[in-house]
């Protein structure tokens, strides 16, 4: 030990200083006395204590440090302590080499995709890589139950899991904000605000949008980047949304809504409040007719129905809940039966559903909205909750633009331009990243290569006589023979088979084929939906009239043949029938687990060669749709299950609670959520603003 101390450099590393500060304070040492021997002794003792507590040997980690400036003092003051120096002082840049040559993997985000990846990855598989997780949020949030936090049906901490618990033994974690990514140099630039100069201030902004004050800045190189930053709320550029409404995507959003509603009830209870002002204060407006908006309205309606008569008996009859939905039906992606059931439940609970209305502006006092028919109305409000959709983050847009620039003129650049978020192949690798970036969840869209890219190859395959034109029969055979590779061709091949045949014998066989072919295709679709879908299986059904119009638009029906240019135009129309996976937690979770399986093979290195090898050995991502569910209020819920169909009612409500409890990521969360259900049912919701 003495030899180590003698050989130690005079300049203590700030990372070690930060780790040693707290225990040194307890030993009565001032920060100004933190010389290198004291720090090293403290750090060694701490490491030994942690090894004994964990019951396993910790491997020493080497980190090479390059100082951008020299002249650090031998003793360190409080303002110098920290992992990275601020940009206003001498910059410290950390270069973290791979552990024993293992690929460096950076995981951005701690949402469904990233958390599922960490959970599914075994400690043994994790040792194949040097993994670091970077996120502004040091916990995983179970978002399906976030609406229940609106009025305290479920408490906030019951649905969060510390990310460090999930990463233990698998990855390091850094709470920081990713400001930019250099996809060419494979470097991520991050930052985090320095702690407040007021020691008692625990509410300082840790991740400011602008250059506000001092902050830590650092860069992290990577070999493989797992991009799971999610998406942000889409306000559709409606004036006043940011200023006068509450978004509902993060835990802080639910907390703010709960505090606002408590404020409104307490203010409305004052004796000086006029009836008109009281009605306006207790007018709640939820914008968005999807699962989130419906469940927020349901939880708020339960509070009014079950708790207001006990807590605010004089105000209960003056509360109004409005659910504004731009679509013609609530829960438009669900079965129509479920949409009608939700309307029935909301009507019984006094929730006003405004289908077909679009918000045009939100002011301090009113929400302005119109319909497609030109109708207009204004509704006074006390609280507006915006749950109307999501869009890619600015970071995603930056990465997308950089990839398009690096792959300019290639099909990878075209694929990136066609969809929202980052476009990936069926193995979740981002097109144009050359095997170095994998994207999951709301930040990405799994997209197959467009058939337009193979137009020349397909046309030559059918144009055996090199005439430069394809007859109807040749086109029919081409579409049919390639419908397995491109399932979107199926409806078009079927149309030509039904409309055009070569002879009476062909007519007979065509009729037989139609009967058995339709049955086979129907069974195939049901099987795929029930037991897994690749993205190529997700095709929007087209009516016969729509297919006819596509053929007519390229003059096929009039000329009974088609040129190469018209053939490309037809492929572009067919491509529009393709659908992507829905931006749901269910998809993100399955993508995270799938990616963990890929990484578990240990062959990925962040280059094209290792990616190609992986594709040869692995099946593409397959999404298994377990069904859709939503809470409707009054102990009613709705399920839309594969093979079974729509199910709703009180029994569905009980099943919904059981499922959401069992689906928690840990036994601790399952216990907390279960106890919250019981507590709310027995004692009611707590409106206290704490």
């Amino acid at each position: 030990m003495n030899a180590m101390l003698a050989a130690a450099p005079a300049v203590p590393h700030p990372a070690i200083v930060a780790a040693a500060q707290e225990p040194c304070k307890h030993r009565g040492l001032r920060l100004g006395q933190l010389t290198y021997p004291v720090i090293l002794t403290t750090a060694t003792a701490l490491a030994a204590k942690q090894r004994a507590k964990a019951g396993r040997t910790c491997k020493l980690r080497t980190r090479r440090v390059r100082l951008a400036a020299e002249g650090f003092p031998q003793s360190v003051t409080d303002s110098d302590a920290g992992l990275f120096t601020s940009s206003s002082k001498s910059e410290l840049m950390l270069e973290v080499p791979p552990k024993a040559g293992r690929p460096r993997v950076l995981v951005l985000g701690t949402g469904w995709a990233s958390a599922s990846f960490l959970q599914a990855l075994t400690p043994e598989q994790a040792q194949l890589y040097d993994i670091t997780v970077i996120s502004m949020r040091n916990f995983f949030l179970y978002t399906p139950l976030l609406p229940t936090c609106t009025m305290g049906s479920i408490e906030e901490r019951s649905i969060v899991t510390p990310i460090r618990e999930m990463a233990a033994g698998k990855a390091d974690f850094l709470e920081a904000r990713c400001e930019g990514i250099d996809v060419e140099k494979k470097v991520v630039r991050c930052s985090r605000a320095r702690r407040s100069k007021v020691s008692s201030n625990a509410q300082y902004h840790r991740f400011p949008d602008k250059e506000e004050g001092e902050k830590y800045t650092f860069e992290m190189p990577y070999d493989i980047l797992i991009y799971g930053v999610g998406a942000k709320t889409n306000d559709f550029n409606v004036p006043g949304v940011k200023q006068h409404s509450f978004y509902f995507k993060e835990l802080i959003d639910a907390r703010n809504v709960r505090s606002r509603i408590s404020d409104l009830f307490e203010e409305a209870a004052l004796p000086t409040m006029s009836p008109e002002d009281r009605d306006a204060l207790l007018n709640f407006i939820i914008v968005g007719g999807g699962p989130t908006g419906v469940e927020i309205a349901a939880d708020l309606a339960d509070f009014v129905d079950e708790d207001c008569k006990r807590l605010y008996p004089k105000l209960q009859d003056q509360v109004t809940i409005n659910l504004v939905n731009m679509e013609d039906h609530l829960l438009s992606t669900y079965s129509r039966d479920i949409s009608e059931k939700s309307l029935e439940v909301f009507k019984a609970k006094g929730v006003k559903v405004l289908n077909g209305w679009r918000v045009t502006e939100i002011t301090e006092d009113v929400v302005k909205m119109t319909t497609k028919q030109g109708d207009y109305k204004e509704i006074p409000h006390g609280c507006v909750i915006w749950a109307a959709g999501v869009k890619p983050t600015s970071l995603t847009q930056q990465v997308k633009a950089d990839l398009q620039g690096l792959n300019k003129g290639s099909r990878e650049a075209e694929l990136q331009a066609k969809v929202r978020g980052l476009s990936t192949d069926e193995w979740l690798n981002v097109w144009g990243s050359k095997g170095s970036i994998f994207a999951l969840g709301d930040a990405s869209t799994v997209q197959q290569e467009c058939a337009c890219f193979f137009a020349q190859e397909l046309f030559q395959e059918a144009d055996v006589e090199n005439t430069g034109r394809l007859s109807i029969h040749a086109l029919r055979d081409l579409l049919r023979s390639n419908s397995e590779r491109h399932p979107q061709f199926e409806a078009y091949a079927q149309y030509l088979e039904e409309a055009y045949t070569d002879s009476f014998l062909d007519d007979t066989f065509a009729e037989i084929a139609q009967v058995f072919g339709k049955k086979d295709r129907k069974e195939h679709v049901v099987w795929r939906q029930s037991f897994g879908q690749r993205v190529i299986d997700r095709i929007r059904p087209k009516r016969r009239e729509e297919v006819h119009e596509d053929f007519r638009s390229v003059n096929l029906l009039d000329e009974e043949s088609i040129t190469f240019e018209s053939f490309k135009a037809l492929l572009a129309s067919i491509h529009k029938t393709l659908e992507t996976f829905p931006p749901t937690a269910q998809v993100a979770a399955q993508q995270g687990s799938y990616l963990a399986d890929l990484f578990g093979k240990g062959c990925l290195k962040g280059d094209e060669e290792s990616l190609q090898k992986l594709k040869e050995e692995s099946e593409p991502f397959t999404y298994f749709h377990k069904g859709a569910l939503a809470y409707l209020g009054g102990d009613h819920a709705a399920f839309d299950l594969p093979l079974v169909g729509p199910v709703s009612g009180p029994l569905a409500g009980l099943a919904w609670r059981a499922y959401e409890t069992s689906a928690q990521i840990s036994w601790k969360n399952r216990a907390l959520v279960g106890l919250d259900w019981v507590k709310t049912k027995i004692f009611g919701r707590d409106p206290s603003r704490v």
Side-chain angles (χ1 to χ4, degrees):
M1 175 62 74
N2 291 331
M4 291 175 60
L5 295 176
V11 180
H13 187 282
I16 303 177
V17 175
Q21 281 181 22
E22 193 62 29
C24 284
K25 287 179 183 178
H26 289 299
R27 295 186 180 195
L29 295 174
R30 296 190 305 274
L31 292 178
Q33 296 176 331
L34 289 183
T35 58
Y36 198 94
V38 172
I39 293 172
L40 186 58
T41 304
T42 305
T44 304
L46 283 173
K49 182 178 179 180
Q50 291 299 322
R51 285 197 297 270
K53 182 178 180 181
R56 61 177 182 269
T57 304
C58 297
K59 294 183 178 180
L60 295 176
R61 301 178 179 180
T62 33
R63 295 180 182 256
R64 293 184 292 118
V65 179
R66 180 167 58 82
L67 296 178
E70 297 180 356
F72 281 88
Q74 185 168 357
S75 58
V76 183
T77 63
D78 183 41
S79 61
D80 293 322
L83 183 57
F84 304 97
T85 64
S86 76
S87 56
S88 63
K89 299 185 180 182
S90 301
E91 253 185 48
L92 181 66
M93 206 165 145
L94 236 72
E95 294 181 0
V96 186
K99 301 175 185 176
R102 288 173 280 180
R104 293 169 293 195
V105 177
L106 288 188
V107 181
L108 293 185
T110 51
W112 274 99
S114 302
S116 297
F117 171 78
L118 287 174
Q119 191 178 35
L121 200 68
T122 67
E124 293 74 22
Q125 292 170 337
Q127 296 309 308
L128 299 172
Y129 306 91
D130 181 5
I131 305 175
T132 302
V133 181
I134 299 176
S135 176
M136 294 188 292
R137 196 173 68 184
N138 66 355
F139 59 86
F140 163 74
L141 173 64
Y142 187 84
T143 50
L145 285 182
L146 187 60
T148 63
C149 297
T150 306
M151 292 310 302
S153 299
I154 298 295
E155 292 299 331
E156 297 171 359
R157 288 195 175 271
S158 299
I159 58 172
V160 300
T161 303
I163 203 66
R164 289 187 179 275
E165 285 187 6
M166 302 178 68
K170 302 178 183 180
D172 294 328
F173 174 73
L174 298 175
E175 188 184 61
R177 173 180 182 163
C178 178
E179 293 188 340
I181 301 173
D182 190 325
V183 295
E184 187 174 11
K185 295 180 180 179
K186 294 187 176 182
V187 172
V188 169
R189 185 177 68 257
C190 304
S191 70
R192 189 185 194 279
R194 294 178 66 87
R195 64 194 175 279
S196 173
K197 295 183 181 297
V198 181
S199 302
S200 60
N201 179 19
Q203 302 301 321
Y204 68 96
H205 196 344
R206 294 169 177 81
F207 311 103
D209 292 327
K210 301 178 181 178
E211 297 289 338
E212 298 177 4
E214 297 180 343
K215 62 180 181 180
Y216 304 113
T217 58
F218 61 97
E219 292 183 345
M220 292 287 289
Y222 66 85
D223 297 306
I224 304 173
L225 177 66
I226 299 177
Y227 191 85
V229 301
K232 64 180 181 180
T233 301
N234 191 352
D235 60 12
F236 301 99
N237 296 319
V238 175
V241 171
K242 293 180 181 179
Q243 295 83 3
H244 304 298
S245 72
F246 292 91
Y247 290 162
F248 204 89
K249 199 171 186 303
E250 298 290 342
L251 198 61
I252 188 63
D253 298 329
R255 186 180 305 157
N256 290 339
V257 168
R258 186 175 180 179
S259 178
R260 172 67 172 177
I261 293 175
S262 178
D263 272 344
L264 292 173
F265 272 99
E266 297 302 339
E267 186 176 349
L270 296 176
T272 56
M273 191 64 56
S274 68
E276 294 78 15
D277 290 341
R278 185 176 290 113
D279 288 342
L281 286 176
L282 299 180
N283 201 356
F284 303 101
I285 301 176
I286 299 101
V287 181
T292 302
V294 166
E295 291 184 349
I296 294 171
D299 193 67
L300 184 54
D302 280 352
F303 171 76
V304 173
D305 191 46
E306 299 170 8
D307 299 285
C308 262
K309 59 185 176 183
R310 173 174 56 89
L311 301 171
Y312 305 99
K314 297 180 181 180
L315 301 178
Q316 183 184 15
D317 295 336
Q318 294 173 275
V319 178
T320 304
I321 302 173
N322 300 275
L323 181 56
V324 182
N325 177 33
M326 190 172 64
E327 304 291 338
D328 294 329
H329 304 278
L330 287 178
L331 302 171
S332 57
T333 58
Y334 290 46
S335 164
R336 187 60 53 83
D337 293 338
I338 288 180
S339 178
E340 293 174 356
K341 180 64 178 178
S342 63
L343 278 174
E344 179 186 326
V345 174
F346 280 155
K347 184 177 180 180
K349 296 184 75 66
V351 177
K352 296 181 180 178
V353 178
L354 303 174
N355 282 328
W357 287 87
R358 182 173 63 89
V359 174
T360 57
E361 184 180 1
I362 302 177
T363 69
E364 182 181 356
D365 303 313
V366 299
V367 174
K368 302 177 182 179
M369 58 187 76
T370 62
T371 64
K372 296 177 182 178
Q373 293 74 30
D375 297 330
Y376 174 83
K377 71 164 59 177
E378 294 183 359
I379 303 178
H381 68 82
C383 177
V384 180
I385 303 172
W386 188 270
V390 295
K391 64 180 180 180
T393 64
S394 56
L395 179 64
T396 300
Q397 299 284 35
Q398 175 250 304
V399 175
K400 188 184 184 78
D402 289 351
L403 287 171
Q404 288 178 272
L406 289 174
N407 297 277
K408 191 174 182 179
S410 68
R411 66 176 60 175
E412 285 83 2
E414 286 188 50
L415 285 165
Q416 287 297 343
K418 286 180 178 294
V419 297
R420 69 185 184 100
L422 298 181
S423 178
T424 76
D425 60 22
E426 291 193 82
W427 288 264
L428 307 185
N429 184 251
V430 175
W431 290 108
S433 70
K434 299 178 174 56
S436 64
I437 304 177
F438 291 83
L440 314 88
D442 291 354
S444 68
T445 298
V446 181
Q447 186 182 29
Q448 62 171 309
E449 289 186 279
C450 178
C452 304
F453 297 147
F454 309 100
Q456 187 73 40
E457 174 189 330
L458 292 168
F459 193 85
Q460 290 177 352
E461 176 187 331
D463 186 19
V464 292
E465 298 180 0
N466 294 321
T467 62
R469 300 185 74 91
L470 298 182
S471 67
I472 286 180
H473 301 299
L475 179 61
R476 176 198 64 193
D477 295 341
L478 174 67
L479 295 176
R480 172 57 65 201
S481 62
N482 285 274
S483 59
E484 184 173 351
R485 180 185 179 189
H486 302 286
Q488 64 269 32
F489 290 174
E490 179 70 39
Y492 292 80
Q494 181 181 338
Y495 176 91
L496 293 179
E497 286 174 351
E498 295 175 358
Y500 299 93
T501 52
D502 295 323
S503 64
F504 172 77
L505 188 60
D506 284 342
D507 287 343
T508 305
F509 279 116
E511 290 178 5
I512 296 173
Q514 287 173 30
V515 174
F516 288 97
K518 287 180 180 178
K519 182 176 184 298
D520 179 68
R521 284 189 289 272
K522 184 177 180 180
E523 291 177 350
H524 175 77
V525 170
V526 171
W527 184 86
R528 279 294 191 184
Q529 289 178 342
S530 304
F531 299 99
Q533 282 184 311
R534 290 176 59 185
V535 71
I536 62 174
D537 298 315
R538 294 186 62 82
I539 303 168
R540 179 176 62 83
K542 268 204 168 185
R543 299 191 308 272
R544 181 182 175 88
E545 296 78 13
E546 293 178 296
V547 176
H548 176 87
E549 181 59 29
D550 286 344
F551 281 133
R552 191 196 62 77
S553 66
V554 295
N555 298 321
L556 174 68
L557 303 181
D558 295 331
E559 301 179 8
E560 296 192 352
S561 65
I562 189 171
T563 64
F564 177 65
E565 291 301 321
S566 297
F567 179 66
K568 288 199 299 183
L570 177 63
L571 291 183
S573 297
I574 295 176
H575 182 74
K576 295 177 181 178
T577 64
L578 295 177
E579 293 183 334
T580 58
F581 296 119
T584 63
Q586 194 175 152
V587 172
Q590 292 184 32
Q591 287 179 336
S593 299
Y594 168 79
L595 194 62
D597 289 339
L598 295 186
F599 273 70
K601 299 179 186 296
C603 63
L604 286 171
K605 298 178 181 178
D607 55 27
E608 291 182 282
E609 183 180 350
S610 63
L611 177 64
Q612 189 58 40
K613 180 181 177 182
L614 178 76
K615 290 182 176 181
E616 293 172 358
E617 299 176 353
S618 309
E619 293 293 324
F621 172 68
T622 300
Y623 168 57
F624 170 62
H625 183 61
K626 299 177 182 178
L629 63 161
Y631 181 64
L632 306 179
D635 294 330
H636 286 251
F639 285 77
D640 196 356
L641 302 174
L643 299 178
V644 177
V647 179
S648 60
L651 287 179
L654 185 62
W656 172 77
R657 282 190 170 89
Y659 173 79
E660 296 292 17
T661 302
S662 63
Q664 294 299 308
I665 210 160
S666 70
W667 281 106
K668 181 192 78 173
N669 293 109
R670 294 185 188 106
L672 291 174
V673 169
L675 289 173
D676 282 348
W677 291 130
V678 175
K679 179 190 67 177
T680 299
K681 205 65 181 175
I682 297 175
F683 303 108
R685 297 164 184 81
D686 184 357
S688 302
R689 187 176 60 258
V690 294

